[in-house]
Amino acid sequence: MNKFKKIFATDSYIVPLVAILLGFLVGAIVMLIGGYDPIAAYGALFKRVFGSPYDFGEAIREMTPLMLTGLSVAFAFRSGLFNIGADGQVLIGMTAASLIGIKWAGLPLFLLVPLAVIGAGLCGGLWAGIAGYLKAKRGINEVITTIMLNWIALFLANYIVRTFLLIPGQNRSEDIPASISMTFLNSFFDNARLHWGTFIALAAAVFFYIYLWKTKQGFEMRAVGLNPHAAEYAGMNVGRNVMKSMFIAGVFAGLAGAGEVLGVFHYQAVFAGSPGYGFDGIAVALLGLTHPFGVILAAILYGMLTYGSAGMSFNADVPPELIRIVIGSIIFFIAAQGIVRWVLKPFYFKRKKEKVL
Amino acid sequence: MSAAAPVVELKQITKRFPGIVANDSISLTLEKGEIHALLGENGAGKSTLMNIVFGLYQPDEGSIEIGGKPVIIDSPNKAIELGIGMVHQHFKLVDPFTVTENIILGMEPKKGLKIDYKSAAEQVRKLSELYGLQVNPHARIHDISVGMQQRVEIMKTLYRGADILIFDEPTAVLTPQEINELMAIMKRLVAEGKSIILITHKLKEIMSISDRVTIIRRGKVIDTVKTSETNPNELAEKMVGRDVTFKVDKLDPHVGNTVLKLDGVNSKNKEGISVLNNLSFEVKSGEILGIAGVDGNGQSELIQAITGLRKIDSGSIIVEGKEIANLSPRKISEMNVSHIPEDRHKHGLVLDFTVSENMVLETYYKSPYNRNGFMNNEVIDKHAEELVQAFDVRTPSIHNTARSLSGGNQQKAIIAREIDKEPTLLIAAQPTRGLDVGAIEFVQKQLIAQRDQGKAVLLVSFELDEIMNVSDRIAVIYEGQIVGEVYPKDTNDQELGLMMAGGLKRGGKAGE
Ligand SMILES: Nc1ncnc2c1ncn2[C@@H]1O[C@H](COP(=O)(O)OP(=O)(O)OP(=O)(O)O)[C@@H](O)[C@H]1O
Ligand SMILES: [Mg+2]
């Protein structure tokens, strides 16, 4: 875990940039081997993202939950925790937002909307807090509990939707009157489903940065993450920090859930399986080197690639799964920094300022 | 000609880190069958130089020859191939594995697809016999003592065929008994044709075992001398560039009220074995109480109990009239109790924090460092700057991570932080471990200065010299119990040694 932490928490940005280039290169090689034209494929990918206002807007929509789940994983990581449970926290956030948005529909919108968003964040936080509590008080590894909580969240969310919110005969909830869609942009973006969640995500990144590096509580959390023993000796309450960190991570993920139901779908479906937001979040967090601003950039890249991959298959006849190879390679190259450093070696020699790993 | 070539020759090695030249054109030769000591102040660049020889760092300038042939050592694997082995100060062992498993890790002898443990254990046993190492090949690492763990590290290098052994401060973590044994092992090694580079701060060890000494100061070689043609005073002077007295001057203590009082303290470990056994003593203001004892007799547990890191089952611990047993570390710290922990990497520092951040590790939440929940970095940095100045912590900047400091300077940073808290009770566990003689003198003076200002000081040390020189009163701990209290002037090493081994009890209260 410690080594793992070191690899993904370095603050150098050259490595990820090179890793991204190498990732695209590997993807291109695989395409060539498979008899596809990589230039056409990547061209189609970017054309899909930037080709029309609608697609551009939809790409942003795709990035938004990735930003928040990425932040969620990264935040926990910074205090030494591996949050595999962002997925479940997103589901709990969605369900809370749907419940509040539908059941309290009598409230005026200017109250209902913030309530639903806040409720989603809080419930996501409390859900993650369960894992934090078990870790702090009972010493149970959070990796295991968050995975278990993912499944519990899935079935709990489905149960609530079925029991309280269902449109009879359909596999989805009633429409949610509370909305955070940015409808005023509809004419610019051709009705792409843009919503305020994107700004919530950006604000969350700023909060992440300020909280962790500028406040007293963040100081504690970083100390606990880097050396819990020394933190304890210094009088910090390690358990409390673990719970707090999981809570905040869960809030981020819960807000992602709010964005999806209140901003994109306006209803909640009954899920057949894990929607996968949280797992993408792990990739995004690692890609962003667990730094909040890095996570935002990584989510933008990740969102572009996944959204654009549909264009790849449509216009260049390349299977969209190939983009997974690109993403996987990028993460691989970030983890295997040795390779990247080897590629960079000639440049490093000139600069003579080598950093010791 | 090649017969006469030294086994290792370093030529004009220079290594720079941002803001500092750690090695400045260093040349050094190691002859076959020689024990070559490296001596230098904390941060002089000894570890850096050896890390270069072992392939962990690359030199910016200069070259290395092994047995007369120029080589480039770009990784530890390359170093091992060239017959170089290094015993690091912090061991790199897998705790739940056995001795044999650790030794063969990465070079397992195979029998078909399976690892051939039997022949491995046999090989380990042979090595152990040849060099008088006496390790049980089947014991698990977490069950054996630190001294034994170090022998496993030595065997790891031998198993990989090392002829050149580098020891970086091997004795810092050992008890006096274990040190003697290690010295004997080293002699066996050179008798068998190995060559050794030994880094140590202890002049006694250098005088007793090395053939030559190279003295390094601030990255430069000052001199290389034959051990037989020098003496400790000359070495110390060459190393720090001034006279070192070795004697601690102190006035008679002005003993005041009781600051710390332990009464019948009992504590059990997880296995239910009693680690503190009806333990009682007092420390008064204006005095230094030294706790003497062999490692593992309850010293760590005692300190944990006083600082709130360990629950006690019965008894009382009173600081300035208030019961503190089983309070939180934070509450106890706020009663002006300072603690220099034994394990600086694990407990004393957050290595990836900057020096500046580490300086407020315990006080970050107080004004003026904390302003309405935000860290007041200006004040924090200014504070760190002052401490680094006052305690001569050598670092290019307070914004460097604690990890990049040399071992001794990390320790000085902790001492600076703890003394700066102006404690009424200062607990110092092995405060001079790994420090150079100049720094030891400095730290001991600081402890005495604290006592002269009327603070109570509890000193735990395995170094008898330190206990004898610095303490005003000595309590001997054995199997979790205080077995005797004496005044330094009324006792001697033999008597203390006997008490530490549990063979003698003396005096309920010293001199009373
Ligand atoms: N990885 C690093 N990055 C930056 N500076 C470093 C690094 N390693 C060592 N230094 C600096 O180089 C200098 C020499 O350090 P080194 O560890 O070699 O000292 P040392 O002689 O072994 O001291 P000690 O006796 O305290 O262990 C120190 O000033 C240290 O701060
Ligand atoms: Mg060193």
Side-chain angles (χ1 to χ4, degrees):
Chain A
M1 178 78 192
N2 245 330
K3 194 131 176 228
F4 196 58
K5 209 181 310 184
K6 237 203 241 145
I7 291 170
F8 289 108
T10 47
D11 289 314
S12 136
Y13 49 89
I14 299 166
V15 172
L17 285 183
V18 176
I20 291 166
L21 286 177
L22 289 175
F24 275 104
L25 208 67
V26 169
I29 292 169
V30 173
M31 285 183 217
L32 281 174
I33 294 171
Y36 302 109
D37 176 359
I39 299 188
Y42 288 139
L45 187 151
F46 286 105
K47 198 154 162 242
R48 168 72 189 255
V49 176
F50 296 105
S52 74
Y54 171 78
D55 284 321
F56 188 62
E58 279 292 302
I60 293 176
R61 193 251 328 131
E62 178 95 23
M63 295 164 194
T64 302
L66 292 172
M67 292 179 184
L68 282 163
T69 51
L71 289 172
S72 170
V73 176
F75 192 88
F77 206 75
R78 287 282 174 177
S79 31
L81 300 163
F82 206 1
N83 179 18
I84 314 278
D87 217 50
Q89 294 143 27
V90 171
L91 282 171
I92 294 297
M94 282 183 172
T95 313
S98 305
L99 257 181
I100 295 171
I102 293 169
K103 292 295 173 193
W104 294 354
L107 288 173
L109 278 183
F110 72 90
L111 273 180
L112 182 64
V113 172
L115 265 178
V117 172
I118 292 168
L122 265 178
C123 292
L126 291 174
W127 192 255
I130 299 174
Y133 175 84
L134 290 171
K135 166 112 183 180
K137 298 290 172 193
R138 296 267 172 271
I140 306 173
N141 192 310
E142 78 281 3
V143 173
I144 295 164
T145 49
T146 49
I147 291 176
M148 291 165 80
L149 283 166
N150 277 345
W151 290 100
I152 302 174
L154 176 64
F155 295 118
L156 180 66
N158 284 348
Y159 171 80
I160 290 176
V161 172
R162 281 212 191 90
T163 321
F164 302 110
L165 310 172
L166 204 70
I167 300 184
Q170 289 192 38
N171 239 351
R172 51 160 280 194
S173 74
E174 305 165 27
D175 283 338
I176 305 166
S179 161
I180 56 170
S181 290
M182 298 196 284
T183 39
F184 57 94
L185 292 175
N186 277 355
S187 50
F188 296 105
F189 285 95
D190 226 355
N191 294 323
R193 292 165 292 173
L194 287 168
H195 58 87
W196 286 104
T198 312
F199 291 97
I200 294 179
L202 295 176
V206 173
F207 167 82
F208 183 147
Y209 179 77
I210 293 177
Y211 184 81
L212 214 54
W213 279 282
K214 302 289 174 206
T215 74
K216 177 196 95 176
Q217 298 188 29
F219 182 89
E220 264 186 30
M221 243 173 231
R222 282 185 299 129
V224 167
L226 292 167
N227 185 350
H229 303 288
E232 190 191 357
Y233 266 58
M236 299 172 191
N237 187 332
V238 174
R240 194 168 61 204
N241 275 290
V242 164
M243 289 192 275
K244 210 155 57 178
S245 169
M246 277 313 275
F247 175 79
I248 293 173
V251 169
F252 289 157
L255 289 172
E260 292 299 280
V261 291
L262 302 181
V264 180
F265 300 111
H266 303 291
Y267 65 83
Q268 182 167 343
V270 172
F271 290 95
S274 148
Y277 295 104
F279 302 106
D280 291 343
I282 296 172
V284 167
L286 298 183
L287 206 58
L289 298 179
T290 69
H291 190 283
F293 302 142
V295 167
I296 295 296
L297 294 176
I300 291 173
L301 175 73
Y302 198 105
M304 267 169 41
L305 293 181
T306 36
Y307 187 77
S309 65
M312 236 169 55
S313 64
F314 207 70
N315 295 322
D317 218 14
V318 177
E321 287 76 19
L322 252 168
I323 215 63
R324 295 271 154 193
I325 295 181
V326 175
I327 292 170
S329 318
I330 294 174
I331 293 171
F332 170 80
F333 284 117
I334 287 184
Q337 292 193 1
I339 300 173
V340 175
R341 279 177 206 282
W342 180 73
V343 171
L344 287 174
K345 214 169 177 181
F347 306 98
Y348 267 103
F349 260 114
K350 255 185 240 145
R351 290 180 39 206
K352 271 237 162 126
K353 212 186 109 186
E354 75 195 77
K355 247 179 134 177
V356 189
L357 267 182
Chain B
M1 143 153 191
S2 73
V7 285
V8 180
E9 178 158 14
L10 306 181
K11 292 182 166 171
Q12 315 267 318
I13 300 282
T14 295
K15 176 74 189 171
R16 301 184 192 89
F17 288 117
I20 195 160
V21 185
N23 291 158
D24 191 350
S25 191
I26 290 190
S27 297
L28 184 146
T29 61
L30 176 68
E31 304 293 342
K32 188 166 170 61
E34 175 187 41
I35 299 183
H36 194 133
L38 269 189
L39 179 67
E41 287 180 283
N42 296 123
K46 307 176 296 290
S47 298
T48 305
L49 187 65
M50 288 306 112
N51 285 335
I52 289 173
V53 176
F54 195 56
L56 288 163
Y57 292 151
Q58 298 306 304
D60 295 321
E61 286 158 33
S63 60
I64 303 176
E65 291 184 4
I66 302 288
K69 283 192 213 75
V71 291
I72 289 178
I73 308 175
D74 49 13
S75 72
N77 281 337
K78 187 68 192 284
I80 291 166
E81 227 172 80
L82 291 166
I84 303 170
M86 185 154 175
V87 177
H88 295 270
Q89 190 178 334
H90 295 269
F91 305 147
K92 299 173 192 309
L93 299 172
V94 186
D95 273 1
F97 279 20
T98 65
V99 169
T100 304
E101 285 168 333
N102 267 284
I103 290 172
I104 62 173
L105 199 67
M107 293 193 83
E108 301 86 351
K110 299 264 169 62
K111 199 170 167 186
L113 280 176
K114 277 190 8 217
I115 295 175
D116 186 358
Y117 279 113
K118 237 173 136 189
S119 83
E122 181 55 27
Q123 231 176 315
V124 167
R125 202 188 51 76
K126 271 198 197 132
L127 272 178
S128 158
E129 233 160 57
L130 178 60
Y131 297 101
L133 291 162
Q134 295 170 358
V135 234
N136 170 5
H138 304 293
R140 291 191 188 278
I141 297 300
H142 53 62
D143 294 333
I144 61 180
S145 69
V146 175
M148 280 293 165
Q149 292 180 8
Q150 185 175 59
R151 291 184 192 186
V152 177
E153 286 282 3
I154 296 173
M155 298 198 37
K156 256 167 75 180
T157 68
L158 295 174
Y159 180 80
R160 284 160 178 68
D163 290 317
I164 302 156
L165 282 95
I166 302 170
F167 288 88
D168 193 351
E169 295 190 39
T171 58
V173 290
L174 301 184
T175 61
Q177 170 69 19
E178 288 171 327
I179 291 175
N180 289 337
E181 290 166 8
L182 177 66
M183 297 282 134
I185 291 169
M186 286 185 170
K187 284 193 181 132
R188 286 281 271 281
L189 288 167
V190 287
E192 294 289 331
K194 313 276 177 195
S195 315
I196 293 178
I197 299 180
L198 167 69
I199 301 180
T200 179
H201 289 297
K202 296 179 188 161
L203 298 171
K204 246 202 291 194
E205 292 164 9
I206 291 182
M207 293 309 295
S208 83
I209 198 172
S210 70
D211 300 302
R212 286 193 297 157
V213 194
T214 293
I215 302 114
I216 300 178
R217 196 196 306 157
R218 301 201 175 213
K220 287 201 182 76
V221 171
I222 298 298
D223 203 356
T224 298
V225 292
K226 283 213 169 80
T227 312
S228 55
E229 291 167 9
T230 187
N231 59 59
N233 283 320
E234 188 191 23
L235 287 178
E237 208 225 279
K238 284 202 160 120
M239 168 180 149
V240 287
R242 63 174 165 86
D243 256 358
V244 180
T245 52
F246 295 112
K247 263 255 154 274
V248 197
D249 293 320
K250 52 175 192 180
L251 305 168
D252 284 337
H254 293 282
V255 178
N257 305 330
T258 301
V259 173
L260 172 70
K261 184 173 162 68
L262 277 80
D263 201 1
V265 172
N266 285 294
S267 180
K268 291 194 173 60
N269 66 10
K270 269 189 230 136
E271 284 84 44
I273 298 163
S274 175
V275 284
L276 298 179
N277 191 355
N278 207 9
L279 190 138
S280 310
F281 66 81
E282 293 185 10
V283 193
K284 298 201 163 72
S285 80
E287 78 165 343
I288 300 178
L289 176 72
I291 302 275
V294 177
D295 190 8
N297 274 289
Q299 292 95 324
S300 311
E301 290 83 359
L302 166 65
I303 293 175
Q304 287 165 355
I306 302 173
T307 49
L309 293 156
R310 161 180 289 274
K311 295 263 175 283
I312 65 169
D313 302 322
S314 65
S316 82
I317 305 174
I318 291 170
V319 171
E320 295 211 292
K322 284 194 206 82
E323 178 65 53
I324 60 152
N326 299 337
L327 290 184
S328 71
R330 169 74 43 92
K331 285 230 173 71
I332 293 171
S333 158
E334 286 186 336
M335 301 198 49
N336 294 325
V337 177
S338 263
H339 174 202
I340 300 165
E342 181 180 345
D343 186 336
R344 56 181 169 246
H345 282 176
K346 191 168 173 195
H347 298 141
L349 295 166
V350 176
L351 287 175
D352 294 309
F353 268 14
T354 64
V355 172
S356 186
E357 286 173 315
N358 271 297
M359 287 299 192
V360 293
L361 204 59
E362 288 155 347
T363 46
Y364 63 94
Y365 63 94
K366 289 186 188 160
S367 175
Y369 310 126
N370 165 19
R371 204 173 38 194
N372 311 320
F374 285 87
M375 303 297 288
N376 193 344
N377 285 324
E378 236 167 81
V379 179
I380 291 171
D381 288 349
K382 197 164 148 268
H383 171 248
E385 207 73 75
E386 282 165 13
L387 289 185
V388 163
Q389 285 291 326
F391 289 80
D392 190 29
V393 181
R394 301 213 183 134
T395 169
S397 138
I398 54 164
H399 299 297
N400 279 50
T401 60
R403 191 183 291 285
S404 74
L405 266 57
S406 80
N409 282 299
Q410 291 171 343
Q411 182 71 349
K412 284 203 249 175
I414 296 173
I415 290 170
R417 178 181 76 207
E418 296 305 322
I419 287 185
D420 177 65
K421 274 170 66 191
E422 306 222 329
T424 35
L425 171 65
L426 175 62
I427 300 168
Q430 317 294 348
T432 59
R433 179 187 274 181
L435 297 196
D436 67 57
V437 284
I440 290 177
E441 194 182 62
F442 175 80
V443 169
Q444 294 181 342
K445 274 190 181 148
Q446 290 292 333
L447 293 182
I448 292 166
Q450 291 299 304
R451 160 260 215 188
D452 288 342
Q453 288 173 32
K455 320 256 159 94
V457 179
L458 179 67
L459 169 70
V460 177
S461 177
F462 304 145
E463 302 274 348
L464 269 191
D465 286 351
E466 179 160 80
I467 292 278
M468 289 290 265
N469 287 335
V470 179
S471 321
D472 298 313
R473 197 155 54 89
I474 301 171
V476 181
I477 190 167
Y478 176 72
E479 295 195 337
Q481 223 170 0
I482 300 293
V483 291
E485 283 187 21
V486 288
Y487 287 107
K489 60 176 189 303
D490 300 338
T491 188
N492 54 44
D493 286 6
Q494 279 73 22
E495 191 188 44
L496 275 182
L498 209 57
M499 288 164 76
M500 282 159 60
L504 178 72
K505 296 195 181 212
R506 215 191 113 174
K509 292 267 186 299
E512 280 178 9

